[in-house]
Amino acid sequence: QVQLVESGGGLVQAGGSLRLSCVASGRIFTINAMGWYRQAPGKQRELVATATNGGSTNYADSVKGRFTISRGNAMNTVYLQMNSLKPEDTAVYYCNADTDRGSNWGQGTLVTVSS
């Protein structure tokens, strides 16, 4: 089992920036990839960005060019740098760790972008 703790959410004006962080603990040696998902009110959870242990990244079209995902050197952390934020980026952002035994999720951190 892997435990995930997110931080860095908050309220920001449109055009601003935020950086989310997520730290994994537990069986971190089983992690293959980490990523970020988000869920806006009344909508389904959607992928934002993922990064594998090998360095491959994947982004949702809606955030390409604005968000950057990165992994820490110890491979048990993942960051999401969010620039040029838009009101439609408002959501609860969840950290995800994909392991040999399935997906693990953090509790989520709220990002609110005001217009």
Side-chain angles (χ1 to χ4, degrees), residues 37-102:
Y37 291 71
R38 68 186 181 186
Q39 188 166 17
K43 295 186 177 181
Q44 290 188 330
R45 191 173 297 187
E46 63 177 4
L47 177 146
V48 176
T50 60
T52 68
N53 289 358
S56 297
T57 58
N58 181 47
Y59 293 90
D61 288 343
S62 59
V63 306
K64 284 181 180 176
R66 300 187 299 123
F67 291 10
T68 303
I69 190 170
S70 60
R71 301 281 299 275
N73 289 335
M75 301 306 287
N76 70 323
T77 55
V78 63
Y79 306 97
L80 186 68
Q81 178 65 44
M82 305 185 293
N83 298 328
S84 301
L85 282 160
K86 304 175 181 180
E88 51 263 44
D89 294 317
T90 294
V92 177
Y93 284 70
Y94 295 91
C95 178
N96 172 270
D98 180 64
T99 75
D100 294 342
R101 297 189 177 185

Side-chain angles (χ1 to χ4, degrees), residues 6-10 12 16-22 36 68 70-72 77-83 85 109 111:
E6 304 105 331
S7 62
V12 64
S17 299
L18 281 176
R19 186 176 190 244
L20 305 183
S21 301
C22 174
W36 292 93
T68 303
S70 60
R71 301 281 299 275
T77 55
V78 63
Y79 306 97
L80 186 68
Q81 178 65 44
M82 305 185 293
N83 298 328
L85 282 160
T109 184
V111 172

Side-chain angles (χ1 to χ4, degrees), residues 3-31:
Q3 294 79 43
L4 302 168
V5 178
E6 304 105 331
S7 62
L11 173 64
V12 64
Q13 287 187 331
S17 299
L18 281 176
R19 186 176 190 244
L20 305 183
S21 301
C22 174
V23 179
S25 60
R27 296 174 61 89
I28 60 174
F29 56 90
T30 65
I31 295 175

